[in-house]
């Protein structure tokens, strides 16, 4: 039994380990280790395409996670006191957002936005004071943020609601009994208790956006995120530079993940 | 009354976002699936069922998906169950949490990088050259259905382990003691007590993995080398290469329909399986 478990863990971690190992390989050969070197990291980080893609990914992940956390938390708070049809509608929307495959969300967003822009752009040009200077709407950072934020928001709502379910209601009642205003109770009792859930939601949303390939593949327009860059360079062939980029991507999501986990665990409501 | 305004105000941004980026795009896909392809790609309004009647043109992608998705789910289940059992029943409580986190962590890291790792391992200079050095021939591993299957198990194992673990952990251990006290051999206890009681977790895990596999693009694209073609790969081809939005939308609608039907049938069946055993779980 133990040996079996060990084998499964090896299966899970050896491939990742090999990527990391070979990212420090001084030689170019993919088959043998020739010595320790960080040259591939240097090469990756001095490649302007990589740096730009990295910046795009970080920008999209940060803004989409921030908006998703804000609006998702607000929605989770409002849904708490809601029953009836509107509640059912929101539950259904959250469920659909999580269950519909990313690829379908990607193509749906692509054709909906492109069609919308085809209508709006001539209109903008007509009403703009100087037709030549009229803004052209197109796919890019904005559509990436909007599409990633959608899934992230559903994720945040689910996490914050789970947190609410485990919350100690008696504290809220006590606060009200002691004469605190509803807003005071919210700020001093509810929010501190929810905060770990909100923060974990933000970190997971960031990780999702940073790692997402399939939605970005459709809605990125002329922008390149890091996963899109990696995907297209793999098509051109396996290089040690990709190992270095891959190791950095893994490291970033691992750090975020471990932080989210420890926040959730350390502050888990005792039951 | 004021709190009702506040509720509405708090729900407004999320509601607008859901509407603009989820409801509207999905409606557009549905509408476009009845349209026609424009002369330079894209979409021309029309009302025709031709796209759906033409779905047979992508039959291979549907067939591959409907073979590989259940196969991949089964492979995940067979590998995940013993591990989940070990974690829930055998592993010492001090290590359990850490071991469980170690299973889940890979799921939250980039599937792209993890699939890339297998290109490295299964490619010519990886396992095949190792096997050759051992005198076991030089089999072609990358760009085969086998490689895709390995990638699938690698990618989705965590998602299968977790729900099975949860259902096994909730299982009342006294039932197992009772069975062995009453003289049941370990195998019988497993088959008549443990396995049936863990079926809800098995069902959840299988459904999650199966749904995600139906929409998979990356793993077959990277490890199948264009030879193992899923619906997801057909969709990328239709929208990004040939720009046939109307037909592509019909394929997407068909994919979602097949998913909804499979999940409904599956849930109906699992409810019937566990239907007679609800009394057991109440003990």
């Amino acid at each position: 039994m133990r040996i079996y478990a060990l084998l499964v863990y090896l299966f899970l971690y050896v491939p990742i380990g090999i990527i990391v190992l070979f990212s420090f390989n001084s030689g170019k050969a993919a088959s043998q280790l020739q010595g320790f070197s960080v040259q591939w990291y240097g090469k990756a980080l001095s490649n302007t395409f990589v740096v730009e893609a990295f910046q795009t990914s970080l920008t999209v992940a940060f803004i989409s996670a921030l908006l998703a956390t804000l609006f998702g938390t607000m929605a989770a708070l409002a849904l708490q006191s809601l029953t009836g049809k509107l509640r059912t509608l929101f539950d259904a929307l959250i469920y659909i957002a999580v269950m519909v495959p990313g690829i379908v969300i990607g193509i749906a967003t692509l054709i909906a936005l492109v069609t919308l822009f085809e209508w709006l752009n001539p209109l903008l040009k007509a009403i703009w004071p100087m037709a030549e200077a009229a803004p052209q709407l197109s796919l890019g950072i904005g559509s990436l943020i909007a599409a990633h934020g959608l899934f992230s928001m559903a994720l945040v709502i689910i996490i914050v609601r789970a947190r609410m379910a485990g919350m100690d209601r008696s504290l809220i009642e006590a606060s009200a009994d002691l004469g605190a205003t509803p807003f005071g109770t919210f700020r001093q009792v509810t929010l501190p208790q929810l905060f770990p859930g909100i923060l974990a939601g933000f970190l997971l949303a960031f990780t999702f956006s940073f790692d997402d390939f399939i939605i970005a593949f459709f809605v990125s327009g002329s922008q390149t995120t890091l996963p899109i860059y990696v995907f297209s360079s793999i098509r051109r062939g396996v290089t040690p530079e990709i190992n270095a980029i891959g190791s950095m991507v893994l490291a970033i999501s691992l750090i975020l993940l471990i932080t989210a986990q420890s926040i959730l665990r350390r502050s888990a409501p005792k039951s | 009354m004021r709190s009702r305004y506040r509720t509405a105000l708090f729900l407004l941004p999320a509601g607008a976002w859901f509407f603009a980026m989820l409801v509207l795009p999905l409606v557009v896909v549905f509408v476009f699936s009845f349209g026609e392809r424009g002369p330079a790609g894209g979409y021309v309004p029309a009302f025709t069922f031709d796209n759906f009647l033409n779905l047979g043109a992508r039959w291979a992608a549907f067939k591959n998906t409907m073979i590989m998705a259940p196969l991949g789910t089964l492979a995940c289940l067979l590998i995940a169950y013993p591990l989940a059992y070990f974690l829930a029943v055998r592993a010492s409580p001090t290590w359990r949490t850490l071991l469980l986190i170690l299973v889940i962590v890979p799921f939250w890291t980039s599937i792209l990088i993890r699939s890339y790792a297998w290109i490295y391992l299964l490619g010519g200079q990886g396992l095949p050259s190792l096997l050759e050095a051992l005198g076991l021939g030089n089999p072609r591993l990358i760009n085969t259905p086998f490689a895709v299957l390995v990638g699938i198990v690698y990618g989705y194992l965590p998602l299968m382990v977790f729900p099975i673990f949860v259902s096994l952990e909730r299982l009342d251990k006294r039932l197992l003691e009772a069975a062995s006290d009453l003289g049941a051999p370990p195998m019988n206890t497993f088959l008549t007590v443990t396995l049936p009681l863990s079926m809800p977790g098995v069902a959840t895990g299988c459904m999650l993995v199966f749904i995600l596999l139906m929409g998979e693009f990356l793993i077959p694209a990277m490890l199948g080398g264009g030879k193992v073609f899923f619906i997801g790969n057909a969709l990328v081809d239709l929208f990004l290469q040939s720009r046939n939005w109307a037909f592509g939308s019909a394929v997407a609608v068909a994919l979602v329909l097949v998913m909804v039907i499979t999940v409904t049938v599956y849930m109906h069946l699992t409810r019937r399986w566990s239907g007679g055993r609800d009394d057991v779980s109440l003990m």
Side-chain angles (χ1 to χ4, degrees):
Chain A
M1 218 52 215
R2 277 185 182 198
I3 293 170
Y4 178 81
L6 185 70
L7 285 175
V8 178
Y9 282 102
L10 284 177
F11 169 70
L12 284 176
Y13 283 92
V14 165
I16 302 177
I18 284 183
I19 293 289
V20 178
L21 188 68
F22 275 89
S23 74
F24 291 110
N25 188 14
S26 60
K28 206 173 161 57
S31 53
Q32 56 192 29
L33 287 168
Q34 288 169 340
F36 180 85
S37 155
V38 289
Q39 61 160 320
W40 302 114
Y41 287 87
K43 209 168 172 193
L45 291 174
S46 58
N47 180 340
T48 43
F49 291 112
V50 175
V51 175
E52 273 170 25
F54 194 53
Q55 282 168 346
T56 308
S57 279
L58 286 179
T59 312
V60 170
F62 184 75
I63 300 179
S64 71
L66 200 67
L67 292 175
T69 310
L70 179 67
F71 297 151
T73 308
M74 281 164 59
L77 285 168
L79 286 171
Q80 198 184 18
S81 59
L82 203 65
T83 49
K85 277 185 186 151
L86 201 57
R87 167 74 177 253
T88 319
L89 176 70
F90 267 86
D91 284 344
L93 287 173
I94 295 163
Y95 185 73
I96 293 171
V98 176
M99 289 318 263
V100 172
I103 194 163
V104 174
I105 299 273
I107 58 172
T109 313
L110 167 80
I111 61 176
L113 287 181
V114 168
T115 309
L116 185 72
F117 294 160
E118 275 171 9
W119 283 351
L120 281 181
N121 279 334
L123 205 68
L124 272 173
K125 207 165 181 178
I127 59 164
W128 212 256
M130 290 191 310
E132 285 73 40
Q136 280 272 333
L137 296 172
S138 62
L139 295 175
I141 300 261
S143 52
L144 281 167
I145 291 170
H148 280 175
L150 173 84
F151 182 87
S152 299
M153 198 172 64
L155 197 70
V156 170
I157 297 178
I158 292 171
I159 294 172
V160 173
R161 275 174 141 189
R163 183 84 195 174
M164 277 175 181
M167 222 164 70
D168 195 350
R169 306 269 327 159
S170 58
L171 282 175
I172 294 171
E173 283 157 26
S175 164
D177 287 350
L178 291 168
T181 60
F183 182 72
T185 305
F186 174 75
R187 199 171 58 86
Q188 295 190 310
V189 181
T190 315
L191 203 58
Q193 282 200 67
L194 281 184
F195 191 69
I198 297 171
L199 195 59
F202 173 81
L203 293 173
L204 289 180
F206 189 99
T207 314
F208 158 74
S209 170
F210 188 71
D211 284 344
D212 169 72
F213 166 76
I214 192 68
I215 296 175
F217 196 41
F218 288 99
V219 303
S220 61
S222 58
Q223 293 287 335
T224 305
T225 65
L226 202 53
I228 294 178
Y229 176 82
V230 170
F231 182 76
S232 49
S233 22
I234 292 170
R235 296 227 139 163
R236 277 180 263 124
V238 172
T239 65
E241 200 184 326
I242 303 176
N243 292 339
I245 302 171
S247 305
M248 289 190 280
V249 171
L250 287 176
I252 289 173
S253 26
L254 274 183
I255 291 167
L256 291 171
L257 205 61
I258 292 167
T259 317
Q261 270 286 344
S262 55
I263 289 171
L264 274 180
R265 270 177 199 282
R266 203 176 40 200
S267 58
K270 305 276 183 293
S271 58
Chain B
M1 212 48 208
R2 266 187 64 206
S3 83
R4 275 190 64 181
Y5 281 124
R6 197 169 54 212
T7 304
L9 203 68
F10 268 43
L11 276 179
L12 196 65
W17 206 335
F18 275 128
F19 180 76
M21 297 303 293
L22 183 70
V23 179
L24 210 62
L26 290 178
V27 170
V28 168
V29 169
F30 187 72
V31 171
F32 277 27
S33 69
F34 297 102
E36 278 169 4
R37 181 181 192 272
Y43 163 79
V44 173
F47 186 75
T48 166
F49 289 94
D50 286 357
N51 297 316
F52 288 98
L53 296 173
N54 207 12
L55 280 178
R58 296 285 166 161
W59 171 241
F62 277 94
K63 194 187 73 185
N64 278 340
T65 311
M66 292 314 285
I67 293 173
M68 292 298 283
L71 212 61
T73 310
L74 186 69
C76 281
L77 175 63
L78 291 179
I79 296 175
Y81 198 96
L83 184 69
Y85 183 82
F86 171 78
L87 290 174
V89 182
R90 295 290 171 84
S92 78
T94 42
W95 288 99
R96 187 175 293 154
T97 313
L98 179 68
L99 288 173
L100 193 65
I101 290 175
L102 281 177
V103 175
I104 299 165
V105 159
F107 187 72
W108 275 97
T109 61
S110 165
I111 180 87
L112 175 72
I113 307 294
R114 283 185 295 140
S115 304
Y116 165 72
W118 282 99
I119 294 187
Y120 220 67
L121 282 171
L122 297 178
Q125 294 173 316
L127 273 180
S129 70
L130 194 75
L131 289 174
E132 196 179 24
L134 293 170
L136 295 168
N138 188 349
R140 182 173 175 73
L141 294 176
I142 191 82
N143 300 343
T144 60
F146 170 76
V148 175
L149 207 59
V150 171
I152 287 171
V153 173
Y154 193 61
Y156 292 109
L157 192 66
L159 207 58
M160 184 68 91
V161 172
F162 193 67
I164 301 177
F165 167 83
V166 170
S167 68
L168 281 170
E169 204 199 19
R170 281 204 197 124
L171 184 151
D172 192 341
K173 305 287 186 304
R174 284 173 305 179
L175 286 175
L176 305 181
E177 285 162 25
S180 75
D181 286 352
L182 292 167
M187 201 58 201
N188 281 10
T189 309
F190 177 77
L191 287 176
T192 56
V193 182
T194 315
L195 192 61
L197 286 178
S198 64
M199 280 317 273
V202 170
T204 309
C206 286
M207 211 174 72
L208 288 175
V209 172
F210 186 74
I211 286 177
L212 286 176
L213 280 181
M214 301 251 322
E216 187 59 53
F217 158 76
L218 209 51
I219 296 172
M222 291 180 72
L223 297 168
K227 294 192 186 70
V228 189
F229 209 72
F230 278 34
I231 302 173
N233 306 71
L235 284 173
V236 167
D237 183 49
L238 283 168
F239 279 94
L240 297 181
Q241 259 91 53
S242 48
R243 275 181 51 85
N244 192 344
W245 288 5
F247 183 55
S249 297
V251 174
V253 170
L255 168 65
V256 173
L257 273 183
V258 173
M259 271 176 55
V260 170
I261 292 169
T262 342
V263 170
T264 313
V265 170
Y266 190 76
M267 275 168 52
H268 188 72
L269 283 178
T270 46
R271 203 165 295 152
R272 258 173 58 190
W273 287 341
S274 58
R277 295 198 187 94
D278 271 357
D279 49 323
V280 182
S281 62
L282 287 174
M283 278 164 72

